[in-house]
Amino acid sequence: MISLTVTAVVFGVVFLAELPDKTALAGLVLGTRYRASYVFAGVAAAFLLHVVLAVAAGSVLTLLPQQIVHAVTGVLFLGGAAVLLMKKDDEDEEIRKPEDQSFWKVSGAGFMLILVAEFGDLTQIMTANLAARYDDPLSVGLGAVLALWAVAGLGIVGGKALMKRVPLALITKIAALLMLGLGVWSLWEAVAG
């Protein structure tokens, strides 16, 4: 059974953390060069694979005693908040252009870009933490994949407009504050439990 509360919390946290990430900008660049649906298909498949791996890793953590899980996830959330707050916005990566515009070339380029760029990324680690914290892999996976797909869609279709209206620094600070709150809450549960 899917918990809408867990799905919504995970969606919000992962969405805000991924929005200022380089992959949103990569999606924007790919979306301006190629058919958006082809780009999204590849990007969405890569994000799905990453979420499955992250949820599996987080589910393994639930086998540990709850106090240890809360302490570890709390520290990791605090580390994630620190990474977001100290992050510099100088990530202009060159994206290689596929030789043709076929579905398989374009979606393959999007898939490979995300697969490599997101492996071990903050949102993948955060998804594993959330899976360990809530012990609800289906709800966490659904929330994370929907958030990543939403960011990819925004990046591909409307990234320029969003970045003009909402400063990237504000989005990053909100995501960091959410992670800070989750970190403090997890550490409190570890000590109180």
Side-chain angles (χ1 to χ4, degrees):
M1 186 151 178
I2 294 174
S3 165
L4 292 179
T5 303
V6 171
T7 301
V9 167
V10 172
F11 179 91
V13 170
V14 172
F15 181 86
L16 287 170
E18 186 65 22
L19 201 55
D21 196 46
K22 63 187 172 293
T23 53
L25 300 175
L28 172 66
V29 172
L30 286 172
T32 60
R33 294 181 182 180
Y34 308 110
R35 179 177 279 176
S37 60
Y38 292 5
V39 173
F40 185 78
V43 168
F47 276 135
L48 180 61
L49 178 58
H50 276 287
V51 168
V52 168
L53 293 173
V55 169
S59 295
V60 169
L61 290 176
T62 63
L63 301 174
L64 298 172
Q66 282 298 95
Q67 283 184 302
I68 293 172
V69 171
H70 289 312
V72 168
T73 57
V75 169
L76 289 173
F77 276 128
L78 292 176
V83 167
L84 281 177
L85 289 172
M86 294 187 293
K87 183 177 178 180
K88 295 181 181 162
D89 298 326
D90 59 348
E91 299 181 39
D92 290 329
E93 296 184 17
E94 186 63 34
I95 297 169
R96 289 179 43 204
K97 186 173 183 175
E99 293 179 16
D100 66 38
Q101 298 278 329
S102 73
F103 172 80
W104 294 111
K105 291 275 186 176
V106 173
S107 63
F111 180 85
M112 290 308 296
L113 175 74
I114 298 303
L115 189 67
V116 172
E118 286 293 305
F119 202 79
D121 192 55
L122 178 63
T123 52
Q124 190 178 32
I125 294 167
M126 189 182 345
T127 301
N129 288 344
L130 290 164
R133 173 162 180 44
Y134 290 112
D135 195 15
D136 187 353
L138 193 55
S139 299
V140 170
L142 181 62
V145 83
L146 289 176
L148 293 168
W149 287 355
V151 171
L154 283 172
I156 291 166
V157 176
K160 286 181 184 175
L162 179 67
M163 295 304 173
K164 285 180 184 176
R165 295 173 195 251
V166 181
L168 191 56
L170 176 62
I171 295 167
T172 303
K173 285 179 183 162
I174 291 170
L177 286 174
L178 280 173
M179 290 181 70
L180 181 66
L182 284 168
V184 169
W185 179 260
S186 293
L187 288 175
W188 181 80
E189 284 186 329
V191 173

